[in-house]
Amino acid sequence: MRRRRWSTRDPLVADLEAAVGAGHVQAGDAAVHLYSRDGSAIGGGRAGVVCLPGTAEEVAACIRVARRHGRAFVPRGAGTGLAGGAVPCDDPVVISTTRMTRILDVDIERRLAWVEPGVVNLDLTRHLAGTGLHFAPDPSSQQSCTLGGNVANNSGGPHCLAYGVTSAHVAAVEVALPDGDLVVLGEEEGDPVGYDLRGAFVGGEGTLGIATRIAVRLTADPPEIATLLLDFPTIETAADTVSAVVASGIVPAAMELMDQRVVRAVEPHANAGYSLDAAAVLIVELDGLPAGVAREVEAVTRIAGAHGADSVRVASDEEERERIWKGRKAAFGAIANIKPSYYLHDTVIPRTRLAEVVAEVNAIADRRGLIVMNVFHAGDGNLHPLLVFDEREPGVLEEVFAAGEEIVRLSLSVGGVLSGEHGIGLEKRQFMPLLFQPADLDAQRVLRDAFDQDGVANPHKVLPTGASCGDVQGMTRLPEGTWV
Amino acid sequence: MSGVHPGDIEAFAAAVGTDDPVCVRGGGSHWMLGGEPAAGVREVVAPSGIAAFDPAEMTVTVGAGTTLVDLAAVLVEAGQEVALEGPSGATVGGVLAVGRSSLRRGRVGAARDALLQATCVGADGRLFSAGGPTVKNVTGYDLCRLLVGSLGTLALLASVILRTRPVPEESCWLQGQMEPAAVAAGCHRPATLLWDGARTAVRLEGYREDVEGSAESLVAELGLEPIEGPPALPPHRSRWDGTLPEGGILEVGSGVVHGPEPLPVPVPAPGVAALGRRIRDGFDPTGRLNPGRDPYRLVA
Ligand SMILES: Cc1cc2nc3c(=O)[nH]c(=O)nc-3n(C[C@H](O)[C@H](O)[C@H](O)COP(=O)(O)OP(=O)(O)OC[C@H]3O[C@@H](n4cnc5c(N)ncnc54)[C@H](O)[C@@H]3O)c2cc1C
């Protein structure tokens, strides 16, 4: 017997189809399954129905339909988020921006581009090639993550060290608010008029509404770039070099650290030129005008030498530079060769404490019999310890979660924070009270409630709610369409 | 200079109290912006002093009542500065509450990007913190950006952690008869571009050799001439509406125009205004913090 097409009989589906067109609503098992996870280790979510609007007005219409039917909604970009931000709780309407991929306008003179939220980060960069401008935030997931997702998570990337994370590059954003209204927050140029609602929206993890158009600031390409590859005999000497470079007053464009396990996993595939014998490899990129870059190359080389670097190599051409970066950005994919599952953490610590904290992170993993790999944005103290394991080993998951919590507590104990770029989502909301007092959380709730008076936008995310939705599981594969 | 003490912060919260209307007096340098505080409102003063300066971390913890001058004097000893700028007497808290970015924003970034953590007193008299102490942080909502430019209508700043940056080794001003776009194309990341309708003035910052090299090429290729400092800015600062007023000077790319007369303040769209009202009402239901002040009346 053929299965009945129940979707058209479901009034919610019918109303969504009326809003976005019949071909753009998915309610079948496959879709519900596909949209129940993101790039995080969080399982247990369940999409009610998935819709793919094509315009800002359609996004707003989807929100109104969801509300009319008493459903929450969850914005979704490429689903590469690592904190469960796009994992649906309470059978919500998942509103995917994947059809909204137009670059609407690029104003070279004013260094501003208006884009739709589904534009993939790297596609904007490619579109701008040859203009002398680029969009600075470059998450390692830039081949697949969307600008809407970047805005929602206030994402970072290696080059955000000197240039700032997404918030510094978003001038204005058109938002479909949780009440179904469309508003533009922020200004194309300069400081906002009135409250900085744009600044408040960025990093809202989809709980404040849906970004439907984004005005991003474009950054001038640097006239000169030097990419340095440094080898160290220990991870501590590499970390101390990072701290010393920051303390010297140099602000590199990027400063990324990889430990030996990562290097050995990456190098055979990427041929990036990393030394397999080094205990740690550091990538330092310096940019600007030629004389300053030359002086900084000299200074970094001297500082690294004083801290025991085994070698310092400056990329001799663009091809070598690209290979060095390709290796770094492929790191997460390469770990699949070590163990089948991984759990990635994201905390920030003071940059002066890197060496001791990384050593302690490794000790935590050792004590629990786990393998940890470190590949992270060292220049701003943003740790990414990656625990790799085989889920089939009995009891290993408990050890992984316990180690994760220890790493979080360790980071906080030295004056750090819970997340540098992946956000809180579902993954870390229970840790929020470790960093924030009740009054701090109340203030955050005031902001959220002002945007979302009825609690319909991406419920249960960011702030602790007590509700159980989505449990942390081992991550065995990335969702479809995720590039690693 | 003595450091701000946790006890000072608690004393400030106690002074703010829980009931009657209060306003904060900083340096008084921006006193009139966004409306004068309502008559007869009790004044409170935020704590001052530098609690911690960590040059290797490039952050500083400072009482909101500290003057920019006092702060700069401490930072410069380590070759550092913050991206805040204000008239003489201006305090850290006052400048953040007003939220105007530095004339040098092309290099130092927006004022709102300098604030990492804020410890504030809410309308209920409770202390709360927003943001975090590290230079990178996406833990929870970005209340810091909301507080910058809020004119103290959401909470009163007691103490803040600011991002510091290295003071540029060299800087200079140049001016010439040409469009800003031509000047911008001739140099990398100018700190400031000012346009008076006929001439562009530019401020360059960076390493000595680079600034000298860029200046030389702007002089040789575009015919710019060195000037001592920025041209005198007319008294009224407004949001640029796309046309340069008679006698006005535009801060290119910052949306700010300085003119002999103030331009009308733009009116927010109804939905945006309503959202702003909900935020204000949520933070301060009885309107006791800086009554009379309105960030939507703050010009540019
Ligand atoms: C291999 C790998 C490497 C990564 N590297 C980095 C890195 O270097 N730096 C970094 O910061 N992150 C990194 N990430 C995390 C992730 O890629 C970023 O958070 C990214 O910005 C998410 O974009 P997305 O389109 O996939 O969003 P999704 O995962 O689909 O959604 C993320 C959050 O944004 C919300 N959202 C999505 N679109 C909108 C919208 N239009 N309006 C409002 N809310 C919306 C969702 O509800 C959710 O809360 C990495 C992830 C992977 C898998």
Side-chain angles (χ1 to χ4, degrees), chain B residues 73-253:
Chain B
V74 170
L75 300 181
V76 80
E77 282 174 31
Q80 296 184 11
E81 61 175 2
V82 291
L84 302 181
E85 196 176 270
S88 87
T91 61
V92 169
V95 168
L96 288 170
V98 168
R100 288 175 169 175
S101 296
S102 159
L103 195 62
R104 296 166 51 212
R105 74 179 290 163
R107 265 331 256 214
V108 302
R112 62 199 60 251
D113 295 337
L115 179 61
L116 300 175
Q117 185 177 57
T119 302
C120 331
V121 185
D124 59 2
R126 282 198 299 173
L127 280 165
F128 72 88
S129 282
T134 53
V135 293
K136 191 175 185 187
N137 179 20
V138 294
T139 312
Y141 295 102
D142 196 346
L143 291 182
C144 281
R145 284 200 169 66
L146 191 63
L147 291 166
V148 176
S150 68
L151 284 177
T153 59
L154 305 179
L156 306 182
L157 296 172
S159 168
V160 295
I161 300 182
L162 301 172
R163 181 198 297 280
T164 65
R165 30 174 299 115
V167 175
E169 183 177 272
E170 183 69 273
S171 64
C172 71
W173 282 91
L174 300 153
Q175 185 170 264
Q177 299 272 343
M178 69 207 50
E179 301 260 324
V183 177
C187 56
H188 179 59
R189 292 184 65 209
T192 316
L193 279 171
L194 299 173
W195 164 241
D196 70 2
R199 288 167 306 179
T200 297
V202 60
R203 179 184 162 94
L204 303 176
E205 290 183 3
Y207 285 101
R208 184 164 301 116
E209 303 92 310
D210 289 330
V211 170
E212 286 170 2
S214 302
E216 270 166 35
S217 80
L218 286 176
V219 168
E221 281 158 38
L222 294 178
L224 267 67
E225 288 171 2
I227 49 174
E228 276 307 303
L233 297 174
H236 294 282
R237 192 183 150 117
S238 307
R239 178 152 286 269
W240 187 45
D241 63 6
T243 51
L244 191 67
E246 188 68 34
I249 294 185
L250 174 69
E251 274 181 46
V252 178

Side-chain angles (χ1 to χ4, degrees), chain A residues 73-77 85-87 93-97 205-207 209-211 457-458:
Chain A
F73 67 88
V74 175
R76 184 181 176 100
V87 172
V93 173
V94 173
I95 301 178
S96 162
T97 60
E205 301 195 35
T207 66
I210 303 184
N458 211 1

Side-chain angles (χ1 to χ4, degrees), chain A residues 38 74-82 85-86 97 117 139-141 145-146 148-150 152-153 155-157 201 205-206 209-211 332 377 421-422 458 478 482-484:
Chain A
D38 62 4
V74 175
R76 184 181 176 100
T80 68
L82 292 168
T97 60
S140 307
S141 52
C145 67
T146 65
N150 296 168
N153 282 356
S155 299
F201 180 83
E205 301 195 35
I210 303 184
F332 287 111
H377 311 304
E421 54 180 29
H422 297 164
N458 211 1
L478 289 171
T482 308
W483 172 84
V484 282

